[in-house]
Coordinates of all heavy atoms in Angstrom, one line a residue:
M1 N -163.3 -43.0 20.7 CA -163.1 -42.1 19.6 C -163.5 -40.7 20.0 O -164.6 -40.5 20.5 CB -163.9 -42.7 18.4 CG -163.8 -41.8 17.1 SD -164.7 -42.4 15.7 CE -163.9 -43.9 15.4
A2 N -162.7 -39.8 19.7 CA -163.0 -38.4 20.1 C -164.0 -37.7 19.2 O -164.6 -36.7 19.6 CB -161.7 -37.6 20.1
H3 N -164.1 -38.2 17.9 CA -165.0 -37.5 17.0 C -165.8 -38.5 16.2 O -165.3 -39.7 16.0 CB -164.3 -36.6 16.1 CG -163.2 -37.3 15.3 ND1 -161.9 -37.5 15.9 CD2 -163.1 -37.8 14.1 CE1 -161.1 -38.1 15.0 NE2 -161.8 -38.3 13.9
K4 N -167.0 -38.2 15.8 CA -167.9 -39.1 15.0 C -169.0 -38.3 14.4 O -169.4 -37.3 14.8 CB -168.4 -40.2 15.9 CG -169.4 -39.7 17.0 CD -169.9 -40.9 17.8 CE -170.8 -40.4 18.9 NZ -171.3 -41.5 19.7
F5 N -169.5 -38.9 13.3 CA -170.8 -38.5 12.7 C -171.9 -39.4 13.4 O -171.7 -40.6 13.6 CB -170.8 -38.8 11.2 CG -169.9 -37.8 10.4 CD1 -168.7 -38.2 10.0 CD2 -170.4 -36.5 10.1 CE1 -167.9 -37.3 9.3 CE2 -169.6 -35.7 9.4 CZ -168.4 -36.0 9.0
E6 N -173.0 -38.8 13.6 CA -174.1 -39.5 14.2 C -175.4 -39.2 13.4 O -175.7 -38.0 13.1 CB -174.3 -39.0 15.6 CG -175.3 -39.7 16.4 CD -175.3 -39.2 17.9 OE1 -176.0 -38.2 18.2 OE2 -174.7 -39.8 18.7
I7 N -176.1 -40.2 12.9 CA -177.3 -40.1 12.2 C -178.4 -40.3 13.3 O -178.4 -41.3 14.0 CB -177.5 -41.1 11.1 CG1 -176.4 -40.9 10.0 CG2 -178.8 -41.0 10.4 CD1 -176.3 -41.9 9.0
Y8 N -179.4 -39.4 13.3 CA -180.5 -39.6 14.2 C -181.8 -39.0 13.6 O -181.8 -38.4 12.5 CB -180.2 -38.8 15.5 CG -180.2 -37.3 15.4 CD1 -181.3 -36.5 15.7 CD2 -179.1 -36.7 14.9 CE1 -181.2 -35.1 15.6 CE2 -179.0 -35.3 14.7 CZ -180.1 -34.5 15.1 OH -180.1 -33.2 14.9
K9 N -182.9 -39.4 14.2 CA -184.2 -38.9 13.7 C -184.7 -37.7 14.6 O -184.6 -37.8 15.8 CB -185.3 -40.0 13.7 CG -185.4 -40.8 12.4 CD -186.6 -41.6 12.5 CE -186.8 -42.3 11.1 NZ -188.0 -43.1 11.1
D10 N -185.1 -36.7 14.0 CA -185.6 -35.5 14.8 C -187.1 -35.7 15.1 O -187.7 -36.8 14.8 CB -185.4 -34.2 14.0 CG -186.1 -34.1 12.7 OD1 -187.0 -34.8 12.5 OD2 -185.8 -33.2 11.9
K11 N -187.7 -34.8 15.8 CA -189.1 -34.9 16.2 C -190.1 -35.0 15.1 O -191.1 -35.5 15.2 CB -189.5 -33.7 17.1 CG -188.7 -33.7 18.4 CD -189.1 -32.5 19.3 CE -188.3 -32.5 20.6 NZ -188.6 -31.4 21.4
A12 N -189.7 -34.4 13.9 CA -190.5 -34.5 12.7 C -190.4 -35.8 11.9 O -191.0 -36.0 10.9 CB -190.2 -33.3 11.8
G13 N -189.5 -36.7 12.4 CA -189.2 -37.9 11.7 C -188.2 -37.9 10.6 O -188.1 -38.9 9.9
E14 N -187.5 -36.8 10.5 CA -186.5 -36.6 9.4 C -185.2 -37.1 10.0 O -184.9 -37.0 11.2 CB -186.4 -35.2 9.0 CG -187.6 -34.7 8.2 CD -187.4 -33.3 7.6 OE1 -186.9 -32.4 8.4 OE2 -187.8 -33.1 6.5
F15 N -184.3 -37.6 9.1 CA -183.0 -38.0 9.4 C -182.1 -36.8 9.4 O -182.1 -36.0 8.4 CB -182.5 -39.1 8.4 CG -183.2 -40.4 8.5 CD1 -184.3 -40.6 7.7 CD2 -182.8 -41.3 9.4 CE1 -185.0 -41.8 7.8 CE2 -183.5 -42.5 9.5 CZ -184.6 -42.7 8.7
R16 N -181.3 -36.7 10.4 CA -180.3 -35.6 10.5 C -178.9 -36.2 10.8 O -178.8 -37.3 11.4 CB -180.7 -34.6 11.5 CG -181.9 -33.8 11.1 CD -182.2 -32.7 12.2 NE -183.4 -32.0 11.8 CZ -183.4 -30.8 11.2 NH1 -182.2 -30.2 10.9 NH2 -184.5 -30.2 10.9
V17 N -177.9 -35.4 10.5 CA -176.5 -35.8 10.9 C -175.9 -34.7 11.8 O -176.1 -33.5 11.5 CB -175.6 -35.9 9.6 CG1 -174.2 -36.2 10.0 CG2 -176.2 -37.0 8.6
R18 N -175.3 -35.2 12.8 CA -174.6 -34.2 13.6 C -173.1 -34.8 13.8 O -172.9 -36.0 13.8 CB -175.2 -34.0 15.0 CG -175.4 -35.2 15.8 CD -176.2 -34.8 17.1 NE -176.8 -36.0 17.7 CZ -178.0 -35.9 18.3 NH1 -178.7 -34.8 18.4 NH2 -178.6 -37.0 18.8
F19 N -172.2 -33.8 13.9 CA -170.8 -34.2 14.1 C -170.5 -33.9 15.5 O -170.7 -32.7 16.0 CB -169.9 -33.4 13.1 CG -168.5 -33.8 13.2 CD1 -168.0 -34.9 12.7 CD2 -167.6 -32.9 13.9 CE1 -166.6 -35.2 12.8 CE2 -166.3 -33.2 14.0 CZ -165.8 -34.4 13.5
K20 N -170.0 -34.8 16.2 CA -169.6 -34.7 17.6 C -168.1 -34.8 17.8 O -167.4 -35.6 17.2 CB -170.3 -35.7 18.5 CG -171.8 -35.5 18.7 CD -172.3 -36.5 19.6 CE -173.6 -36.1 20.2 NZ -174.1 -37.1 21.2
Y21 N -167.6 -33.9 18.6 CA -166.2 -34.0 19.0 C -166.1 -34.0 20.6 O -166.6 -33.0 21.2 CB -165.4 -32.8 18.5 CG -163.9 -32.9 18.8 CD1 -163.1 -33.8 18.1 CD2 -163.3 -32.1 19.8 CE1 -161.7 -33.9 18.4 CE2 -162.0 -32.2 20.1 CZ -161.2 -33.1 19.4 OH -159.9 -33.2 19.7
N22 N -165.6 -35.0 21.2 CA -165.5 -35.1 22.6 C -166.9 -34.9 23.2 O -167.1 -34.1 24.1 CB -164.6 -34.1 23.3 CG -163.1 -34.5 23.0 OD1 -162.8 -35.7 22.8 ND2 -162.2 -33.5 23.1
S23 N -167.9 -35.5 22.6 CA -169.3 -35.5 23.1 C -170.0 -34.2 22.8 O -171.2 -34.1 23.2 CB -169.5 -35.9 24.5 OG -168.9 -37.2 24.7
E24 N -169.4 -33.2 22.3 CA -170.0 -31.9 22.0 C -170.4 -31.8 20.6 O -169.6 -32.2 19.7 CB -169.0 -30.8 22.3 CG -169.6 -29.4 22.1 CD -168.6 -28.3 22.5 OE1 -167.6 -28.6 23.1 OE2 -168.9 -27.2 22.0
V25 N -171.6 -31.4 20.3 CA -172.1 -31.3 18.9 C -171.4 -30.0 18.3 O -171.6 -28.9 18.8 CB -173.6 -31.1 18.9 CG1 -174.1 -30.9 17.5 CG2 -174.3 -32.4 19.5
M26 N -170.7 -30.3 17.2 CA -170.0 -29.2 16.5 C -170.9 -28.6 15.5 O -170.9 -27.4 15.2 CB -168.7 -29.7 15.9 CG -167.8 -30.3 16.9 SD -167.3 -29.3 18.3 CE -166.3 -28.1 17.5
F27 N -171.7 -29.5 14.8 CA -172.6 -29.0 13.8 C -173.7 -30.0 13.5 O -173.5 -31.2 13.8 CB -172.0 -28.5 12.5 CG -171.4 -29.6 11.7 CD1 -172.1 -30.4 10.8 CD2 -170.0 -29.8 11.8 CE1 -171.5 -31.4 10.0 CE2 -169.4 -30.8 11.0 CZ -170.2 -31.6 10.1
S28 N -174.8 -29.6 13.0 CA -175.9 -30.5 12.6 C -176.4 -30.1 11.2 O -176.3 -28.9 10.9 CB -177.0 -30.4 13.6 OG -178.1 -31.2 13.3
T29 N -176.9 -31.1 10.5 CA -177.4 -30.8 9.1 C -178.8 -30.5 9.1 O -179.5 -30.6 10.1 CB -177.1 -32.0 8.2 OG1 -177.9 -33.1 8.6 CG2 -175.6 -32.4 8.1
E30 N -179.3 -30.2 7.9 CA -180.8 -30.1 7.7 C -181.4 -31.5 7.8 O -180.7 -32.5 7.9 CB -181.0 -29.5 6.3 CG -180.5 -30.4 5.2 CD -180.6 -29.9 3.8 OE1 -181.7 -29.9 3.3 OE2 -179.6 -29.4 3.2
G31 N -182.7 -31.5 7.8 CA -183.4 -32.8 7.8 C -183.5 -33.5 6.4 O -183.6 -32.7 5.4
Y32 N -183.4 -34.8 6.4 CA -183.5 -35.5 5.1 C -184.6 -36.5 5.3 O -184.8 -37.1 6.4 CB -182.2 -36.3 4.8 CG -181.0 -35.3 4.6 CD1 -180.1 -35.1 5.6 CD2 -180.8 -34.7 3.4 CE1 -179.0 -34.2 5.4 CE2 -179.8 -33.8 3.2 CZ -178.9 -33.6 4.2 OH -177.8 -32.8 4.0
A33 N -185.3 -36.8 4.2 CA -186.4 -37.8 4.2 C -185.9 -39.2 4.3 O -186.7 -40.0 4.8 CB -187.2 -37.6 2.9
S34 N -184.7 -39.5 3.9 CA -184.2 -40.9 3.9 C -182.9 -41.0 4.6 O -182.1 -40.0 4.6 CB -184.1 -41.5 2.5 OG -183.1 -40.9 1.8
K35 N -182.6 -42.1 5.2 CA -181.3 -42.4 5.8 C -180.2 -42.3 4.8 O -179.1 -41.8 5.0 CB -181.3 -43.7 6.5 CG -180.0 -43.9 7.4 CD -179.9 -45.3 8.0 CE -180.8 -45.3 9.2 NZ -180.6 -46.6 10.0
A36 N -180.5 -42.8 3.5 CA -179.5 -42.8 2.5 C -179.1 -41.4 2.2 O -177.9 -41.1 1.9 CB -180.1 -43.5 1.2
S37 N -180.0 -40.4 2.2 CA -179.6 -39.0 1.9 C -178.7 -38.5 3.0 O -177.8 -37.7 2.8 CB -180.9 -38.2 1.8 OG -181.6 -38.5 0.6
A38 N -179.0 -38.9 4.3 CA -178.2 -38.4 5.4 C -176.8 -39.0 5.2 O -175.8 -38.3 5.5 CB -178.8 -38.9 6.7
K39 N -176.7 -40.3 4.8 CA -175.4 -40.9 4.6 C -174.6 -40.2 3.4 O -173.4 -40.0 3.5 CB -175.5 -42.4 4.3 CG -175.9 -43.2 5.5 CD -176.0 -44.7 5.2 CE -176.3 -45.5 6.4 NZ -176.4 -46.9 6.2
N40 N -175.4 -39.8 2.4 CA -174.7 -39.0 1.3 C -174.2 -37.7 1.8 O -173.2 -37.2 1.3 CB -175.8 -38.8 0.2 CG -176.0 -40.0 -0.6 OD1 -175.2 -41.0 -0.6 ND2 -177.1 -40.1 -1.3
A41 N -174.9 -37.1 2.7 CA -174.4 -35.8 3.3 C -173.1 -36.0 4.0 O -172.2 -35.2 3.9 CB -175.5 -35.2 4.3
I42 N -173.0 -37.1 4.8 CA -171.7 -37.4 5.4 C -170.6 -37.5 4.4 O -169.5 -37.0 4.6 CB -171.9 -38.7 6.3 CG1 -172.8 -38.4 7.5 CG2 -170.5 -39.1 6.8 CD1 -173.2 -39.7 8.2
E43 N -170.8 -38.3 3.4 CA -169.8 -38.5 2.4 C -169.4 -37.2 1.7 O -168.3 -36.9 1.4 CB -170.3 -39.5 1.3 CG -170.4 -40.9 1.9 CD -169.1 -41.4 2.7 OE1 -168.0 -41.2 2.1 OE2 -169.2 -41.9 3.8
S44 N -170.4 -36.3 1.5 CA -170.1 -35.0 0.9 C -169.3 -34.1 1.8 O -168.3 -33.5 1.3 CB -171.4 -34.3 0.5 OG -171.2 -33.0 0.0
I45 N -169.6 -34.2 3.1 CA -168.8 -33.4 4.0 C -167.3 -33.9 4.1 O -166.4 -33.1 4.1 CB -169.4 -33.5 5.4 CG1 -170.8 -32.7 5.4 CG2 -168.5 -32.9 6.5 CD1 -171.7 -33.0 6.6
K46 N -167.2 -35.2 4.1 CA -165.9 -35.8 4.1 C -165.1 -35.5 2.9 O -163.9 -35.2 2.9 CB -166.0 -37.4 4.2 CG -166.4 -37.8 5.6 CD -166.4 -39.4 5.6 CE -166.7 -40.0 6.9 NZ -166.8 -41.5 6.8
K47 N -165.7 -35.5 1.7 CA -165.1 -35.2 0.5 C -164.7 -33.8 0.3 O -163.6 -33.4 -0.1 CB -166.0 -35.7 -0.7 CG -165.4 -35.4 -2.1 CD -166.4 -35.9 -3.1 CE -165.9 -35.5 -4.5 NZ -166.9 -35.8 -5.6
N48 N -165.7 -32.9 0.6 CA -165.6 -31.5 0.2 C -165.1 -30.6 1.4 O -164.5 -29.5 1.2 CB -166.9 -30.9 -0.3 CG -167.3 -31.6 -1.5 OD1 -166.6 -31.7 -2.5 ND2 -168.6 -32.1 -1.5
G49 N -165.2 -31.1 2.6 CA -164.9 -30.3 3.8 C -163.4 -29.9 3.9 O -163.1 -28.8 4.2
P50 N -162.5 -30.9 3.7 CA -161.1 -30.5 3.9 C -160.6 -29.4 3.0 O -159.7 -28.6 3.4 CB -160.3 -31.8 3.5 CG -161.3 -32.9 3.8 CD -162.7 -32.3 3.4
D51 N -161.2 -29.2 1.8 CA -160.7 -28.1 0.9 C -161.6 -26.9 1.0 O -161.4 -25.9 0.2 CB -160.7 -28.6 -0.5 CG -159.6 -29.7 -0.7 OD1 -158.6 -29.6 0.0 OD2 -159.9 -30.6 -1.5
A52 N -162.6 -26.9 1.9 CA -163.5 -25.7 2.0 C -162.8 -24.5 2.5 O -162.0 -24.5 3.4 CB -164.7 -26.1 2.9
P53 N -163.0 -23.3 1.8 CA -162.4 -22.1 2.3 C -163.0 -21.6 3.6 O -164.1 -22.0 3.9 CB -162.7 -21.1 1.1 CG -164.0 -21.6 0.5 CD -163.9 -23.1 0.7
V54 N -162.3 -20.8 4.3 CA -162.8 -20.2 5.5 C -163.2 -18.8 5.1 O -162.5 -18.0 4.6 CB -161.7 -20.1 6.6 CG1 -162.1 -19.3 7.8 CG2 -161.2 -21.5 7.0
D55 N -164.5 -18.5 5.5 CA -165.1 -17.2 5.2 C -165.1 -16.4 6.5 O -166.1 -16.6 7.3 CB -166.4 -17.3 4.5 CG -167.0 -16.0 4.1 OD1 -166.3 -15.0 4.1 OD2 -168.2 -16.0 3.8
D56 N -164.1 -15.6 6.8 CA -164.1 -14.8 8.1 C -164.8 -13.5 7.8 O -164.3 -12.6 7.2 CB -162.7 -14.6 8.5 CG -162.5 -13.9 9.8 OD1 -163.5 -13.4 10.3 OD2 -161.4 -13.8 10.3
T57 N -166.0 -13.4 8.4 CA -166.8 -12.2 8.2 C -166.6 -11.1 9.3 O -167.3 -10.2 9.3 CB -168.3 -12.5 8.0 OG1 -168.7 -13.1 9.3 CG2 -168.5 -13.5 6.9
T58 N -165.6 -11.3 10.1 CA -165.4 -10.4 11.2 C -164.5 -9.2 10.9 O -164.4 -8.3 11.7 CB -164.7 -11.1 12.4 OG1 -163.5 -11.6 12.0 CG2 -165.6 -12.3 12.9
D59 N -164.0 -9.2 9.7 CA -163.1 -8.1 9.2 C -163.9 -6.9 8.8 O -165.0 -7.0 8.3 CB -162.2 -8.5 8.1 CG -161.2 -9.6 8.6 OD1 -160.9 -9.6 9.8 OD2 -160.7 -10.4 7.8

């Protein structure tokens, strides 16, 4: 699979989500106290991401 969400624990013991494409980390989330919250973040990204506007601040 070329792309995936990955839940991991950071050094502070918080759960984080990173999105990988071809083994490269494309983005990572804030830390969450529970794995359930990290899973909710994934579902939110899947639900809201496709319709998110692009904010090009280079103009």
Side-chain angles (χ1 to χ4, degrees):
M1 180 180 293
H3 55 278
K4 66 180 177 179
F5 287 98
E6 185 175 83
I7 298 173
Y8 67 100
K9 271 191 171 181
D10 64 14
K11 292 179 182 178
E14 292 185 316
F15 293 92
R16 291 182 180 263
V17 175
R18 57 184 159 216
F19 182 78
K20 287 185 161 184
Y21 183 75
N22 289 336
S23 301
E24 182 179 343
V25 176
M26 303 304 289
F27 68 83
S28 182
T29 66
E30 63 184 284
Y32 297 98
S34 70
K35 187 184 283 190
S37 293
K39 288 181 177 182
N40 286 341
I42 292 170
E43 291 309 312
S44 178
I45 293 165
K46 286 180 176 180
K47 178 182 174 187
N48 299 307
D51 296 325
V54 174
D55 185 11
D56 184 350
T57 61
T58 61
D59 295 333

